[in-house]
Amino acid sequence: MTAALPALSPLWRNSLRTWLAASLTIGIMLWSGRSNVMMLGLLMAVLFINDNDLTPVRNVGQLVGGALIGILTAVVLHQFSSGWLVTAIGLLITGCLVRGIGLVRGVSMGYMGCWALEVIGYGKHFNWALIFDLAFTVVVGIAMAQVATWAFWPRRPLQQLPALERGLCQQLREQIERMEQWLEHGGPPPAALRSQTLLPQILQLQQLRDQRRNTPTPQHVQNLSSRWAQTGSLWRQLLRQWLLLEPLLLELTPPLEASSRLRQSLNSLDLQLQPVAATSPHAEQPSPQAWLEEARRSNISPPMILAIAQQLEQLQLLLHSRGLVRQAIEARRISAP
């Protein structure tokens, strides 16, 4: 199970995390005999799972405090009256109290606690047993959400990004090798690359920087996150360029000679994606005249070969840039304290 988690897309991991948090909350609330307030626990569990916050446990005190302030505000106000006007006043007071105390991260939880009490209908039945049940429910919901986060989400996502990027390299390499084999031997053309399998991984590379933007983070971690975001942007462009090149290659008639520039260029792309490939100075690309000569030798239409050459050149440039960024990442990792 642990080995399979990194291969799961963020969507599946978030779904499993939500399912586990909800299941644990339901089980504990039923076991403790507090099924009458279970819905509030489920709301807290689901709200606590925030895809944009990598370390929600750091703010758990503010979240719990905000929720409890919202609940207490609703309970006190409902001793005097009820209805939508009282709920609106309660939300206003909750926001002022939570922000005034400095629990900025708990504002949304405070609003939810205040509103949930009106929906559940317990605001008018004030007693200390109810207060304890509601507080217990809030703590259970948030705690189970954190347990689910630990179970299904990486605690140190930066350490998983190199393996994630190697997986992207491997998938693109395999597609290039299938294309090379088809151009060499002919036969049925290879299936097109499925961008849906690569995009979630590319998004993970890009999103880490944004997720840490409002979180206290050491400078070297911020720098690494920015470099990985650059890597993700380059991979998005690489995927786009390959999806533009692939239909053009499939228009060709194999087999092609082993000495053809086209096959050599594809082999060069394959080599740049190797795990141990070193970044060398960018080689000069063949001139359009050289590609036209290739078209005459291989019986390929000149417009087609020039279009393919343009896409290959863009891929070479992007892979060169990717290699430079990866060198910068490795240098920062070595020099990090």
Side-chain angles (χ1 to χ4, degrees), residues 314-325:
Q314 291 298 319
L315 278 169
Q316 294 278 7
L317 290 171
L318 288 169
L319 285 173
H320 181 70
S321 299
R322 168 197 164 267
L324 294 176
V325 174

Side-chain angles (χ1 to χ4, degrees), residues 261 287-299 305:
R261 291 186 184 276
S287 65
Q289 189 61 37
W291 281 109
L292 291 175
E293 291 290 336
E294 171 77 10
R296 279 191 287 272
R297 286 197 305 270
S298 303
N299 197 24
I305 198 73

